[in-house]
Coordinates of all heavy atoms in Angstrom, one line a residue:
M23 N 212.6 196.9 200.1 CA 213.7 196.1 200.4 C 213.9 195.0 199.2 O 215.0 194.8 198.8 CB 213.5 195.4 201.6 CG 213.9 196.3 202.8 SD 215.6 196.9 202.6 CE 216.2 196.9 204.3
L24 N 212.7 194.5 198.8 CA 212.9 193.3 197.8 C 213.0 193.8 196.4 O 213.2 193.1 195.5 CB 211.5 192.6 198.0 CG 211.6 191.3 198.8 CD1 210.3 190.6 199.0 CD2 212.7 190.4 198.3
R25 N 212.8 195.2 196.2 CA 212.7 195.6 194.9 C 213.9 195.5 194.0 O 213.9 195.1 192.9 CB 212.2 197.1 194.8 CG 210.8 197.1 195.2 CD 210.1 198.4 194.8 NE 208.7 198.3 195.2 CZ 207.8 199.2 195.0 NH1 208.1 200.3 194.4 NH2 206.6 199.0 195.5
I26 N 215.0 195.9 194.6 CA 216.2 195.9 193.9 C 216.7 194.5 193.5 O 216.9 194.3 192.2 CB 217.3 196.7 194.6 CG1 216.9 198.2 194.6 CG2 218.7 196.5 193.9 CD1 217.6 199.1 195.4
P27 N 216.8 193.5 194.4 CA 217.1 192.2 194.0 C 216.2 191.7 193.0 O 216.6 190.9 192.0 CB 217.0 191.3 195.2 CG 217.1 192.4 196.5 CD 216.6 193.7 195.9
L28 N 214.9 192.0 193.0 CA 214.0 191.5 192.0 C 214.3 192.0 190.6 O 214.3 191.4 189.7 CB 212.5 191.9 192.4 CG 211.5 191.4 191.5 CD1 211.5 189.8 191.4 CD2 210.1 191.8 191.9
A29 N 214.5 193.4 190.6 CA 214.9 194.1 189.3 C 216.2 193.4 188.8 O 216.2 193.2 187.6 CB 215.2 195.6 189.6
I30 N 217.1 193.1 189.6 CA 218.4 192.4 189.1 C 218.1 191.0 188.5 O 218.5 190.7 187.5 CB 219.4 192.4 190.2 CG1 220.0 193.8 190.5 CG2 220.7 191.5 189.9 CD1 220.8 193.9 191.8
A31 N 217.2 190.3 189.3 CA 216.9 189.0 188.8 C 216.2 189.1 187.6 O 216.5 188.3 186.7 CB 215.9 188.4 189.9
L32 N 215.3 190.1 187.3 CA 214.5 190.2 186.1 C 215.5 190.5 184.9 O 215.4 189.9 183.8 CB 213.4 191.2 186.2 CG 212.2 190.8 187.0 CD1 211.2 191.9 187.1 CD2 211.6 189.6 186.4
L33 N 216.4 191.4 185.2 CA 217.4 191.8 184.2 C 218.3 190.6 183.8 O 218.5 190.4 182.5 CB 218.3 193.0 184.7 CG 217.8 194.3 184.6 CD1 218.8 195.4 185.2 CD2 217.5 194.8 183.1
T34 N 218.7 189.9 184.7 CA 219.6 188.8 184.5 C 218.8 187.8 183.7 O 219.3 187.2 182.7 CB 219.9 188.0 185.9 OG1 220.5 189.1 186.7 CG2 221.0 187.0 185.7
F35 N 217.5 187.6 184.0 CA 216.8 186.6 183.4 C 216.6 187.1 181.9 O 216.7 186.3 181.0 CB 215.3 186.5 184.0 CG 214.6 185.4 183.3 CD1 214.9 184.0 183.5 CD2 213.4 185.7 182.6 CE1 214.1 183.0 183.0 CE2 212.7 184.7 181.9 CZ 213.0 183.3 182.2
A36 N 216.2 188.3 181.6 CA 216.2 188.9 180.3 C 217.4 188.6 179.5 O 217.4 188.3 178.2 CB 215.7 190.4 180.3
G37 N 218.6 188.9 180.1 CA 219.8 188.8 179.4 C 220.1 187.3 179.1 O 220.4 187.1 177.8
V38 N 219.8 186.4 179.8 CA 220.0 185.0 179.7 C 219.1 184.6 178.6 O 219.5 183.9 177.6 CB 219.8 184.2 180.9 CG1 219.8 182.7 180.6 CG2 220.9 184.4 181.9
G39 N 217.8 185.1 178.6 CA 216.8 184.7 177.6 C 217.3 185.0 176.2 O 217.2 184.3 175.3
F40 N 217.9 186.3 176.1 CA 218.3 186.8 174.8 C 219.4 186.0 174.3 O 219.5 185.6 173.2 CB 218.7 188.2 175.0 CG 219.1 188.8 173.6 CD1 218.2 189.1 172.6 CD2 220.4 189.0 173.3 CE1 218.6 189.5 171.4 CE2 220.8 189.5 172.1 CZ 219.9 189.7 171.1
A41 N 220.4 185.6 175.1 CA 221.6 184.8 174.8 C 221.1 183.4 174.3 O 221.7 182.9 173.3 CB 222.6 184.7 176.0
A42 N 220.1 182.9 175.0 CA 219.7 181.5 174.6 C 218.8 181.5 173.4 O 218.8 180.3 172.8 CB 218.9 180.9 175.8
G43 N 218.4 182.5 173.0 CA 217.4 182.6 171.8 C 216.3 183.6 172.0 O 216.1 184.1 173.1
D44 N 215.8 184.1 170.9 CA 214.9 185.2 171.0 C 213.5 184.6 170.9 O 213.0 184.1 169.9 CB 215.2 186.1 169.8 CG 214.2 187.3 169.6 OD1 213.2 187.3 170.4 OD2 214.4 188.0 168.7
A45 N 212.8 184.6 172.1 CA 211.6 183.9 172.2 C 210.5 184.7 171.2 O 209.6 183.9 170.8 CB 211.1 183.9 173.6
T46 N 210.6 185.9 171.0 CA 209.6 186.5 170.3 C 209.7 186.1 168.8 O 208.8 185.8 168.1 CB 209.8 188.1 170.3 OG1 209.9 188.5 171.6 CG2 208.7 188.9 169.6
N47 N 211.0 186.0 168.3 CA 211.1 185.4 167.0 C 210.7 184.0 166.9 O 210.1 183.4 165.9 CB 212.6 185.6 166.6 CG 212.8 185.3 165.1 OD1 212.1 185.7 164.2 ND2 213.9 184.5 164.7
G48 N 211.0 183.3 168.0 CA 210.7 181.8 168.1 C 209.2 181.7 168.0 O 208.7 180.7 167.3
E49 N 208.3 182.5 168.6 CA 207.0 182.4 168.5 C 206.5 182.6 167.1 O 205.6 181.9 166.6 CB 206.3 183.4 169.4 CG 204.8 183.5 169.3 CD 204.1 184.4 170.3 OE1 204.8 185.3 170.8 OE2 202.9 184.3 170.5
K50 N 207.1 183.6 166.4 CA 206.7 183.8 165.0 C 207.0 182.6 164.1 O 206.2 182.1 163.3 CB 207.6 185.0 164.4 CG 206.8 185.9 163.7 CD 207.6 187.2 163.3 CE 207.9 188.1 164.6 NZ 209.0 189.2 164.2
L51 N 208.3 182.0 164.3 CA 208.6 180.9 163.5 C 207.7 179.7 163.8 O 207.3 179.0 162.9 CB 210.0 180.4 164.0 CG 211.1 181.3 163.5 CD1 212.6 181.0 164.2 CD2 211.4 181.2 162.0
F52 N 207.4 179.5 165.2 CA 206.5 178.4 165.5 C 205.2 178.5 164.9 O 204.6 177.5 164.4 CB 206.5 178.3 167.1 CG 205.8 177.1 167.6 CD1 206.2 175.9 167.5 CD2 204.5 177.3 168.1 CE1 205.5 174.8 168.0 CE2 203.9 176.3 168.7 CZ 204.2 175.0 168.6
T53 N 204.6 179.7 165.1 CA 203.2 179.8 164.7 C 203.0 179.9 163.2 O 201.9 179.7 162.7 CB 202.5 181.0 165.4 OG1 203.3 182.2 165.1 CG2 202.4 180.9 166.8
T54 N 204.0 180.2 162.4 CA 203.9 180.2 161.0 C 204.4 178.9 160.3 O 204.4 178.8 159.1 CB 204.7 181.4 160.4 OG1 206.1 181.3 160.9 CG2 204.1 182.7 160.8
S55 N 204.9 178.0 161.2 CA 205.3 176.7 160.7 C 204.2 175.6 160.8 O 203.1 176.0 161.2 CB 206.5 176.1 161.4 OG 206.0 175.7 162.7
E56 N 204.5 174.4 160.3 CA 203.4 173.3 160.4 C 203.6 172.6 161.7 O 203.2 171.5 161.7 CB 203.5 172.4 159.2 CG 203.4 173.1 157.8 CD 202.0 173.7 157.6 OE1 201.1 172.9 157.8 OE2 201.8 174.8 157.3
C57 N 204.2 173.1 162.7 CA 204.5 172.4 163.9 C 203.3 171.7 164.5 O 203.3 170.6 165.1 CB 205.1 173.3 164.9 SG 206.9 173.7 164.6
L58 N 202.2 172.4 164.4 CA 201.0 171.8 165.1 C 200.1 170.9 164.1 O 199.0 170.7 164.3 CB 200.1 173.0 165.6 CG 200.9 173.8 166.6 CD1 200.1 175.0 167.1 CD2 201.4 172.9 167.7
S59 N 200.8 170.4 163.0 CA 200.1 169.6 162.1 C 200.0 168.1 162.6 O 199.1 167.4 162.3 CB 200.6 169.6 160.7 OG 202.0 169.3 160.7
C60 N 200.9 167.7 163.5 CA 201.0 166.4 164.0 C 200.4 166.3 165.4 O 199.9 165.4 165.8 CB 202.4 165.8 164.0 SG 203.0 165.4 162.4
H61 N 200.8 167.4 166.2 CA 200.4 167.4 167.6 C 200.0 168.8 168.0 O 200.6 169.7 167.3 CB 201.5 166.8 168.6 CG 202.9 167.5 168.2 ND1 203.1 168.8 168.6 CD2 204.0 166.9 167.7 CE1 204.4 169.0 168.3 NE2 204.9 167.9 167.8
G62 N 199.2 169.0 169.0 CA 198.9 170.3 169.4 C 199.9 170.7 170.5 O 200.8 170.0 170.8
T63 N 199.6 171.8 171.1 CA 200.5 172.4 172.3 C 200.2 171.6 173.5 O 201.1 171.7 174.3 CB 200.2 173.8 172.4 OG1 198.8 173.9 172.9 CG2 200.5 174.7 171.3
E64 N 199.3 170.7 173.6 CA 199.0 170.0 174.8 C 200.1 169.0 175.1 O 200.4 168.6 176.2 CB 197.6 169.3 174.7 CG 197.6 168.0 173.8 CD 197.4 168.3 172.3 OE1 197.3 169.5 172.0 OE2 197.6 167.5 171.5
V65 N 200.9 168.5 174.0 CA 202.0 167.7 174.3 C 203.1 168.3 175.1 O 204.0 167.7 175.7 CB 202.6 167.0 173.0 CG1 201.7 166.1 172.3 CG2 203.2 168.0 172.1
F66 N 203.1 169.7 175.1 CA 204.2 170.5 175.7 C 203.9 170.5 177.2 O 204.7 170.8 178.1 CB 204.3 171.9 175.2 CG 204.5 172.0 173.8 CD1 204.0 173.0 173.0 CD2 205.2 171.0 173.1 CE1 204.3 173.1 171.7 CE2 205.5 171.1 171.8 CZ 205.0 172.1 171.0
T67 N 202.6 170.4 177.7 CA 202.2 170.6 179.1 C 201.5 169.3 179.6 O 201.2 169.4 180.8 CB 201.2 171.7 179.1 OG1 200.1 171.5 178.1 CG2 201.7 173.0 178.8
A68 N 201.5 168.2 178.8 CA 200.9 167.0 179.4 C 201.6 166.5 180.6 O 202.9 166.7 180.6 CB 200.9 165.9 178.3
P69 N 201.0 165.9 181.5 CA 201.6 165.4 182.8 C 202.7 164.4 182.3 O 203.7 164.2 183.1 CB 200.5 164.7 183.6 CG 199.2 165.2 182.9 CD 199.5 165.7 181.6
D70 N 202.5 163.6 181.3 CA 203.5 162.6 181.0 C 204.4 163.0 179.8 O 204.9 162.3 179.1 CB 202.8 161.3 180.6 CG 201.9 161.4 179.4 OD1 201.6 162.7 179.0 OD2 201.6 160.5 178.7
R71 N 204.6 164.4 179.7 CA 205.5 164.8 178.5 C 206.9 164.2 178.8 O 207.3 164.0 179.9 CB 205.5 166.3 178.6 CG 206.3 167.0 179.7 CD 206.2 168.5 179.7 NE 207.0 169.0 180.7 CZ 207.0 170.3 181.1 NH1 206.1 171.2 180.6 NH2 207.7 170.7 182.1
K72 N 207.6 164.1 177.6 CA 208.8 163.4 177.7 C 210.1 164.2 177.9 O 211.1 163.8 178.2 CB 209.0 162.6 176.4 CG 207.9 161.7 176.1 CD 208.2 160.5 175.3 CE 207.1 159.4 175.2 NZ 205.9 159.9 174.6
I73 N 209.8 165.4 177.6 CA 211.0 166.4 177.7 C 211.2 166.9 179.1 O 210.3 167.5 179.7 CB 210.7 167.6 176.7 CG1 210.4 167.1 175.3 CG2 211.9 168.6 176.7 CD1 211.6 166.3 174.6
K74 N 212.3 166.6 179.5 CA 212.7 167.0 181.0 C 213.7 168.2 181.3 O 213.9 168.5 182.3 CB 213.2 165.7 181.7 CG 212.3 164.5 181.6 CD 211.0 164.7 182.3 CE 210.2 163.4 182.2 NZ 208.7 163.7 182.3
D75 N 214.3 168.4 180.2 CA 215.3 169.7 180.4 C 215.5 170.3 179.0 O 215.0 169.9 177.9 CB 216.6 169.1 180.9 CG 217.3 168.1 180.2 OD1 217.3 168.1 178.9 OD2 217.8 167.1 180.7
L76 N 216.2 171.5 179.1 CA 216.4 172.3 177.8 C 217.2 171.5 176.7 O 216.9 171.7 175.6 CB 217.2 173.6 178.3 CG 216.5 174.7 178.7 CD1 217.6 175.9 178.9 CD2 215.5 175.2 177.6
K77 N 218.1 170.7 177.2 CA 218.8 170.0 176.1 C 218.0 169.0 175.3 O 218.0 168.9 174.1 CB 220.1 169.2 176.9 CG 221.1 168.7 175.9 CD 222.3 168.3 176.7 CE 223.3 167.6 175.8 NZ 222.8 166.3 175.3
A78 N 217.1 168.3 176.1 CA 216.2 167.4 175.5 C 215.2 168.2 174.6 O 214.8 167.7 173.5 CB 215.4 166.5 176.5
L79 N 214.8 169.4 175.0 CA 213.9 170.2 174.2 C 214.5 170.6 172.9 O 213.9 170.5 171.8 CB 213.5 171.4 175.0 CG 212.5 172.4 174.3 CD1 211.2 171.6 173.9 CD2 212.2 173.5 175.3
D80 N 215.8 171.0 172.9 CA 216.6 171.3 171.8 C 216.6 170.1 170.8 O 216.4 170.3 169.6 CB 218.0 171.8 172.2 CG 218.8 172.3 171.0 OD1 219.4 171.5 170.4 OD2 218.9 173.5 170.8
T81 N 217.0 169.0 171.4 CA 217.0 167.9 170.5 C 215.7 167.4 169.9 O 215.6 167.2 168.7 CB 217.5 166.5 171.4 OG1 218.8 166.9 172.0 CG2 217.7 165.3 170.6
Q82 N 214.6 167.6 170.6 CA 213.3 167.2 170.1 C 212.8 168.2 169.0 O 212.2 167.8 168.0 CB 212.3 167.2 171.2 CG 210.9 166.7 170.8 CD 210.9 165.3 170.2 OE1 211.3 164.4 171.0 NE2 210.3 165.1 169.1
V83 N 213.2 169.5 169.3 CA 212.8 170.5 168.3 C 213.6 170.2 167.0 O 213.0 170.3 165.9 CB 213.1 171.9 168.7 CG1 212.9 172.9 167.6 CG2 212.1 172.3 169.8
R84 N 214.8 169.8 167.1 CA 215.6 169.5 165.9 C 215.0 168.3 165.2 O 214.9 168.2 163.9 CB 217.0 169.2 166.2 CG 217.9 170.4 166.5 CD 219.1 170.1 167.1 NE 219.7 171.3 167.8 CZ 220.3 172.3 167.2 NH1 220.6 172.2 166.0 NH2 220.8 173.3 167.9
L85 N 214.6 167.3 165.9 CA 214.0 166.0 165.3 C 212.7 166.3 164.5 O 212.5 166.0 163.4 CB 213.6 165.1 166.4 CG 214.7 164.1 166.8 CD1 214.2 163.2 168.1 CD2 215.0 163.0 165.7
C86 N 211.9 167.2 165.2 CA 210.6 167.5 164.6 C 210.8 168.4 163.4 O 210.2 168.3 162.4 CB 209.7 168.2 165.7 SG 209.0 167.0 166.8
D87 N 211.8 169.4 163.5 CA 212.1 170.2 162.4 C 212.5 169.4 161.2 O 212.1 169.7 160.1 CB 213.2 171.2 162.9 CG 213.9 172.0 161.8 OD1 213.1 172.7 161.1 OD2 215.1 171.7 161.5
S88 N 213.3 168.3 161.4 CA 213.8 167.6 160.3 C 212.7 166.7 159.8 O 212.6 166.5 158.6 CB 215.0 166.8 160.6 OG 214.8 165.9 161.6
N89 N 211.7 166.3 160.6 CA 210.6 165.5 160.1 C 209.7 166.4 159.1 O 209.2 166.0 158.2 CB 209.6 165.1 161.3 CG 209.9 163.9 161.9 OD1 210.3 162.9 161.2 ND2 209.5 163.7 163.2
L90 N 209.7 167.7 159.5 CA 208.9 168.7 158.8 C 209.6 169.2 157.6 O 209.0 169.8 156.7 CB 208.6 169.7 159.8 CG 207.3 170.6 159.6 CD1 206.1 169.8 159.3 CD2 207.1 171.6 160.7
N91 N 210.9 169.1 157.5 CA 211.8 169.6 156.5 C 211.6 171.2 156.5 O 211.7 171.8 155.5 CB 211.3 169.1 155.1 CG 212.0 167.8 154.8 OD1 213.2 167.6 155.2 ND2 211.3 166.9 154.2
T92 N 211.5 171.7 157.7 CA 211.6 173.2 157.9 C 213.0 173.7 157.7 O 213.2 174.8 157.1 CB 211.1 173.6 159.3 OG1 210.2 172.7 159.7 CG2 210.6 175.0 159.3
N93 N 214.0 172.9 158.0 CA 215.3 173.3 157.9 C 215.6 174.6 158.5 O 216.3 175.5 157.9 CB 215.7 173.4 156.4 CG 215.7 171.9 155.8 OD1 216.2 171.0 156.4 ND2 215.3 171.8 154.5
W94 N 215.3 174.8 159.7 CA 215.6 175.9 160.5 C 217.0 176.0 160.7 O 217.8 175.0 160.9 CB 214.9 175.9 161.8 CG 213.5 176.4 161.7 CD1 212.8 177.3 160.9 CD2 212.4 176.1 162.7 NE1 211.5 177.4 161.2 CE2 211.2 176.7 162.3 CE3 212.3 175.2 163.9 CZ2 210.0 176.5 162.9 CZ3 211.1 175.0 164.5 CH2 209.9 175.6 164.0
F95 N 217.5 177.2 160.7 CA 219.0 177.4 161.1 C 219.1 177.2 162.6 O 218.1 177.2 163.3 CB 219.5 178.8 160.7 CG 219.5 179.2 159.3 CD1 218.7 180.1 158.8 CD2 220.4 178.5 158.5 CE1 218.8 180.4 157.4 CE2 220.4 178.8 157.1 CZ 219.6 179.8 156.6
D96 N 220.4 177.1 163.0 CA 220.6 176.8 164.5 C 220.1 177.9 165.3 O 219.5 177.6 166.4 CB 222.1 176.9 164.6 CG 222.6 175.4 165.3 OD1 222.0 174.4 164.9 OD2 223.5 175.5 166.1
T97 N 220.2 179.2 164.9 CA 219.7 180.3 165.7 C 218.2 180.2 165.7 O 217.6 180.6 166.7 CB 220.1 181.7 165.0 OG1 219.8 181.6 163.6 CG2 221.6 181.9 165.2
E98 N 217.5 179.8 164.7 CA 216.1 179.6 164.7 C 215.6 178.6 165.6 O 214.7 178.6 166.3 CB 215.6 179.4 163.2 CG 215.8 180.7 162.3 CD 215.5 180.4 161.0 OE1 215.8 179.3 160.3 OE2 214.9 181.4 160.3
I99 N 216.4 177.4 165.6 CA 216.1 176.4 166.6 C 216.1 176.9 168.0 O 215.3 176.7 168.8 CB 217.1 175.2 166.5 CG1 217.1 174.5 165.0 CG2 216.9 174.2 167.6 CD1 216.0 173.5 164.9
H100 N 217.2 177.7 168.3 CA 217.3 178.3 169.5 C 216.3 179.3 169.9 O 215.7 179.3 171.1 CB 218.7 179.0 169.7 CG 219.8 178.2 169.6 ND1 221.2 178.6 169.3 CD2 220.0 176.8 170.0 CE1 222.0 177.6 169.3 NE2 221.3 176.5 169.7
D101 N 215.8 180.0 169.0 CA 214.6 180.9 169.2 C 213.4 180.1 169.5 O 212.7 180.5 170.5 CB 214.4 181.8 168.0 CG 215.6 182.8 167.7 OD1 216.4 183.0 168.5 OD2 215.5 183.4 166.6
V102 N 213.1 179.1 168.8 CA 211.9 178.3 169.1 C 212.0 177.6 170.5 O 211.0 177.5 171.2 CB 211.6 177.2 167.9 CG1 210.5 176.2 168.2 CG2 211.3 178.0 166.6
V103 N 213.2 177.1 170.7 CA 213.4 176.5 172.0 C 213.1 177.5 173.1 O 212.4 177.2 174.1 CB 214.8 175.8 172.1 CG1 215.1 175.6 173.6 CG2 214.9 174.7 171.2
A104 N 213.6 178.8 172.9 CA 213.4 179.8 173.9 C 211.9 180.1 174.1 O 211.4 180.3 175.1 CB 214.2 181.1 173.5
Y105 N 211.2 180.1 172.9 CA 209.8 180.4 172.9 C 209.0 179.4 173.7 O 208.3 179.5 174.7 CB 209.2 180.6 171.6 CG 207.8 180.5 171.5 CD1 207.0 181.5 172.2 CD2 207.1 179.5 170.9 CE1 205.6 181.5 172.2 CE2 205.8 179.4 171.0 CZ 204.9 180.5 171.5 OH 203.6 180.4 171.6
L106 N 209.3 178.1 173.3 CA 208.6 176.9 173.9 C 208.9 176.8 175.5 O 208.0 176.6 176.2 CB 209.0 175.6 173.2 CG 208.5 175.4 171.7 CD1 209.0 174.1 171.2 CD2 207.0 175.5 171.7
N107 N 210.1 177.2 175.8 CA 210.5 177.1 177.2 C 209.8 178.2 177.9 O 209.2 177.9 179.1 CB 212.1 177.2 177.3 CG 212.4 176.9 178.7 OD1 211.9 175.9 179.4 ND2 213.2 177.7 179.4
Q108 N 209.8 179.4 177.4 CA 209.1 180.6 178.1 C 207.6 180.3 178.2 O 207.1 180.6 179.2 CB 209.4 181.8 177.3 CG 208.9 183.1 177.9 CD 209.1 184.2 176.9 OE1 208.3 184.4 176.1 NE2 210.1 185.0 177.2
Q109 N 207.0 179.7 177.2 CA 205.6 179.6 177.1 C 205.0 178.4 177.8 O 204.1 178.4 178.5 CB 205.2 179.6 175.7 CG 203.7 179.7 175.4 CD 203.3 181.3 175.6 OE1 204.1 182.1 175.7 NE2 202.0 181.5 175.9
Y110 N 205.8 177.2 177.7 CA 205.3 176.0 178.2 C 206.2 175.3 179.2 O 205.7 174.8 180.3 CB 205.0 175.1 177.1 CG 204.2 175.6 176.0 CD1 204.6 176.1 174.8 CD2 202.7 175.6 176.2 CE1 203.8 176.5 173.9 CE2 201.9 176.2 175.2 CZ 202.4 176.6 174.1 OH 201.6 177.1 173.1
Y111 N 207.4 175.1 178.9 CA 208.3 174.2 179.7 C 208.8 174.8 181.0 O 208.8 174.2 182.0 CB 209.4 173.6 179.0 CG 208.9 172.6 178.0 CD1 208.6 172.9 176.6 CD2 208.7 171.2 178.3 CE1 208.1 172.0 175.7 CE2 208.3 170.3 177.4 CZ 207.9 170.7 176.1 OH 207.6 169.8 175.2
K112 N 209.2 176.1 180.9 CA 209.7 176.8 182.1 C 210.8 176.2 182.8 O 210.9 176.2 184.0 CB 208.5 177.1 183.0 CG 207.3 177.8 182.3 CD 206.4 178.4 183.2 CE 205.1 178.8 182.4 NZ 205.2 179.9 181.3
F113 N 211.8 175.6 182.1 CA 213.0 175.1 182.6 C 213.9 176.3 183.0 O 213.9 177.3 182.3 CB 213.7 174.2 181.6 CG 213.0 173.0 181.2 CD1 212.9 172.7 179.8 CD2 212.5 172.1 182.1 CE1 212.2 171.5 179.4 CE2 211.8 171.0 181.7 CZ 211.6 170.7 180.3
P114 N 214.7 176.1 184.0 CA 215.6 177.2 184.3 C 216.7 177.3 183.1 O 217.0 176.3 182.6 CB 216.4 176.7 185.6 CG 216.0 175.3 185.7 CD 214.7 175.0 184.9
T115 N 216.9 178.5 182.8 CA 217.9 178.7 181.6 C 219.3 178.7 182.3 O 219.6 179.3 183.2 CB 217.6 179.9 180.8 OG1 217.3 181.0 181.7 CG2 216.4 179.7 179.9
P116 N 220.3 178.2 181.5 CA 221.7 178.1 182.1 C 222.3 179.6 182.0 O 221.9 180.4 181.3 CB 222.4 177.3 181.1 CG 221.6 177.3 179.8 CD 220.2 177.5 180.2
E117 N 223.2 179.8 182.9 CA 223.9 181.1 183.0 C 224.7 181.3 181.7 O 225.3 180.4 181.2 CB 224.8 181.1 184.2 CG 224.1 181.0 185.6 CD 223.3 182.2 185.9 OE1 223.6 183.3 185.4 OE2 222.2 182.0 186.7
Ligands
HEC206 C1 205.6 164.7 161.4 C2 204.9 164.9 162.6 C3 205.4 166.0 163.5 C4 205.6 167.4 163.3 C5 205.3 168.0 161.9 C6 206.1 167.9 164.4 N1 206.2 167.1 165.4 FE1 206.8 167.5 167.3 N2 206.5 165.6 167.8 C7 206.0 164.6 167.0 C8 206.0 163.3 167.6 C9 205.6 162.0 167.1 C10 206.4 163.6 169.0 C11 206.5 162.7 170.1 C12 205.2 162.5 170.8 C13 205.4 161.6 171.9 O1 206.6 161.4 172.4 O2 204.4 161.0 172.4 C14 206.6 165.0 169.1 C15 207.0 165.7 170.2 C16 207.4 167.0 170.3 C17 207.8 167.6 171.4 C18 208.0 167.0 172.9 C19 206.8 166.9 173.6 C20 206.9 166.4 175.0 O3 206.7 165.2 175.3 O4 207.3 167.3 175.9 C21 208.2 168.9 171.1 C22 208.7 170.1 172.0 C23 207.8 169.1 169.6 N3 207.4 167.9 169.2 C24 208.0 170.2 168.9 C25 207.8 170.3 167.6 C26 208.0 171.5 166.9 C27 208.8 172.7 167.3 C28 207.6 171.3 165.6 C29 207.8 172.2 164.3 C30 209.1 172.3 163.9 C31 207.1 170.0 165.5 N4 207.1 169.4 166.8 C32 206.5 169.2 164.5 C33 205.7 164.7 165.7 C34 205.7 165.8 164.9

């Protein structure tokens, strides 16, 4: 009984994930950048983390990206946001 709704939910989620950014590519970008030279991944999961939603995450990744002079393209920012969200933040993604 529960299987079909679950499958639909998973498909929907995968579709949204792709539209919002490619988390697999985001992981590649993130792990090959110097992102972890100032802070570790613990800031993403700390109880007092500052980022409360996807929009704030997008803004913070852009700030950190410009600190670092990585100059990621918009699509690359979206990919990294998708990865960080999938891996750490787990905010609901917009339709
Ligand atoms: C020049 C140092 C520096 C580099 C390099 C850097 N960051 Fe940051 N990052 C910071 C500082 C400072 C904060 C704020 C920490 C705080 O608010 O306590 C921060 C916070 C963050 C947060 C929010 C954490 C929270 O509170 O939820 C995210 C997400 C983040 N950085 C992502 C990245 C990414 C992605 C990169 C690679 C593009 C990166 N950072 C590279 C300095 C840096």
Side-chain angles (χ1 to χ4, degrees):
M23 279 306 219
L24 267 176
R25 289 203 179 176
I26 289 168
L28 184 61
I30 292 170
L32 287 175
L33 275 177
T34 310
F35 187 71
V38 168
F40 183 73
D44 176 354
T46 310
N47 190 46
E49 177 173 18
K50 224 175 288 166
L51 288 165
F52 181 73
T53 53
T54 55
S55 74
E56 302 292 312
C57 288
L58 300 177
S59 58
C60 290
H61 50 71
T63 57
E64 75 284 346
V65 296
F66 307 148
T67 52
D70 64 339
R71 71 183 185 193
K72 304 208 171 64
I73 303 303
K74 307 293 183 203
D75 57 45
L76 269 183
K77 196 167 171 286
L79 183 57
D80 186 276
T81 304
Q82 184 65 53
V83 170
R84 282 170 203 276
L85 272 174
C86 284
D87 168 62
S88 60
N89 267 334
L90 199 55
N91 277 322
T92 326
N93 293 317
W94 280 332
F95 294 117
D96 239 40
T97 51
E98 294 174 317
I99 298 277
H100 292 156
D101 292 350
V102 172
V103 167
Y105 166 66
L106 292 178
N107 190 47
Q108 185 187 76
Q109 196 71 17
Y110 303 104
Y111 287 94
K112 309 197 192 291
F113 298 127
T115 46
E117 296 292 331

